[in-house]
Amino acid sequence: MTDVSVSSVGVSYGRTEILSQVSLSVGDGRWMGIIGPNGAGKSTLLRAIVGSVPYRGSITLGDIEIGSEDAKSMGRRIAYVPQRPVYPPGMSVFDFVLLGRTPHLGLLAAEREEDIAIVWDSLQSLSISGFAERDVASLSGGETQRVSLARVLAQQAPVVVLDEATASLDVAAQHEVLELIAQIQHEQGVTIVSAIHDLTAAAQFCDELTLLDRGQVVAMGNPEGVLDEAILASVFEPTIRVIEIEGSRVVVSLRSQGSSHGK
Amino acid sequence: MNAGRPSGLRLPWWWIAGATLLLLVTVIAGAMIGPASISPWGIISSTLSRIPFLNVESSLDTRADDIVWQIRMPRVVLGVLVGSMLSVAGSAYQGVFRNPLADPYLLGAGAGAGLGATLAIAYGPDASGWFIDPLPLAAFIGAIVGVALAYVLGYTVRSGRTAVTLILAGVAVAAFLTALQTFLQQRESDTLREVYGWILGSLTTAGWSEVRLVLPYVVGCSVVLVAFRRLLDVMSVGDSEASTLGLHPSRIRLLLIGFATLGTAAVVAVSGLIGFVGIIVPHTVRLMTSASYRVIVPLSLLIGGSFLVLADIVARTVQSPTEIPIGVVTALVGAPFFAVVLRRSKGIVS
């Protein structure tokens, strides 16, 4: 059982409070989307969950408090893809995905045959085994996202935290990557927490949503409840519209007539 | 469905074999070349004759044997140790700082050693009857103190202990110590020539005692740095990702900087500040083989030794009987090479 529970979490950088009193919980095997405007604190919340920033309050995976275990044990429990992952020039795709095995290896140990097999399986399940030897820094946006997801798979952690996995991708590539994440969620039974900008995509893929604004939770629950026109209008802009197409919520922003855009 | 699956073999045996062969050839060449020319077989037979139970007879006469074993071999072996240590330390520095332009002197080891040596030369007592020569000791301590100062300064930066703050702290410490060293050097101008000669680096004073002095440091530190080579690959994704992959980047960085500095301080103490080796050797390896530190670290160790022995051959033969400082040779080769590397490494500097 690896559910994620965040209770009364606050994060400050210096005197600036980025998150305050944030509480949410994600059930085992569920996909929680964190939505909200730029600067709402989405990335900071994710970084707190993976233990990269100090926080007040409590964050638990199952019954284990983040930070109560060493980095290596945490690496086996939680996998993370930051907003802008580093793809070291000259490193092959295979070697990059192999990094995901780090928490499973002794500090100075070399990878075992078993690790190589896991990496290869991860590459194959994301259909990128064809360019295992390519330079990871030379790939396109969609390809690098697949490579990052392959590393997540190789890490075999029950909780996966993704920060804007589909930012800077075109519509088709974005959809493809989100489908892959859903595939990982269902096949591996992992719990996913992801920041996501595209509200329409969030409605289609996430089981639950948390709407953050200025470091606080504004709404939480299933996408139908959170993607409410009045709630979104209060956080984003008054001209936002939620329409329903084939049972799915589509969020659009209309250009306000005769006036300049403003929040 | 395993077609095209990489074997996981990062360092093919033939690269190791090739680099080892190159090292053997340069060692033999280093012992052969000099005013009295000695044949390769002379070197080999004389070496084998010293190994018990082989019963090989040396083809060298006593005088040639003395030239090889009392004069040239200690110098060649010291060259191997110094070149290997600076190169492997350079590769570790480049890895922990994720910066291909890092070298073992980056955090102030060079500037600290220079200041220590200048103090010993300019103000040290006459140590001819001493048990320990104060010059290498002062250089050794200077190097360690320089890096420790940079580390403490970088550590106390409030915005966080990142690789960049550490590099900036190193730049500040190195500039300060170099300024002090230059000031003392100019003030005590009667020792200027000696100080300057030390700073340019040299293997001239090499004897077996110097070899014995640095050997344990070079072996110990190299073993640690080579053992950590896989983790340097993990560190290349940056501190924040490396920590979510289960590492403590700042601890690993401290450990590797510590061992790289200890080894560097030891070799600098006996050879002076030989420049460029620590940058260009790991770079040559990177350009010719792989960007993985699992390849770069061990190959730098082997090729660094060859490079410095070759540079030393040039240093002592080109203007024979006078010698060019070896630091001048490594820089003369190193600077043009560095320009090429800079042009090719576009985008690699992170």
Side-chain angles (χ1 to χ4, degrees), chain B residues 120 143 228 270 281 293 325 339:
Chain B
F228 274 80
V270 296
V281 172
Y293 285 97

Side-chain angles (χ1 to χ4, degrees), chain B residues 24 27-29 31-32 38-60 64-65 68-69 73 76-77 208:
Chain B
L24 283 177
V27 165
I28 292 172
M32 275 168 57
I38 292 164
S39 73
W41 173 243
I43 308 287
I44 294 168
S45 66
S46 161
T47 307
L48 294 178
S49 74
R50 282 159 188 266
I51 300 171
F53 311 116
L54 278 184
N55 293 324
V56 176
E57 199 160 314
S58 172
S59 65
L60 298 181
D65 204 68
V68 170
W69 290 100
M73 263 311 179
V76 168
V77 172
W208 290 116

Side-chain angles (χ1 to χ4, degrees), chain A residues 50 52 71-72 75 78 80 82 85-86 88-91 94-96 98-100 102-103 105-109 111 113 116-117 120 124 133 151 155, chain B residues 1-10 98 224 227-228 230-231 233-234 236-238 240-241 243-248 252 290-292 294 347-348:
Chain A
V50 299
S52 289
K72 195 172 151 179
I78 194 160
Y80 171 58
V86 177
M91 185 179 277
F94 187 90
D95 279 351
F96 184 83
L98 185 61
L99 297 180
T102 308
L105 295 172
L107 192 62
L108 300 181
E111 65 277 5
E113 188 54 38
I116 306 267
W120 189 246
Q124 285 191 320
E133 298 285 11
R151 192 178 84 187
Q155 201 168 335
Chain B
M1 276 296 284
N2 283 349
R5 176 177 139 174
S7 63
L9 184 69
R10 292 303 171 293
R98 298 169 56 213
V224 173
F228 274 80
R230 184 180 65 80
L231 297 186
D233 277 349
V234 185
S236 66
V237 294
S240 129
E241 277 184 75
S243 62
T244 63
L245 289 169
L247 298 190
H248 289 282
I252 290 175
S290 158
S292 168
R294 285 185 276 181
I348 290 183

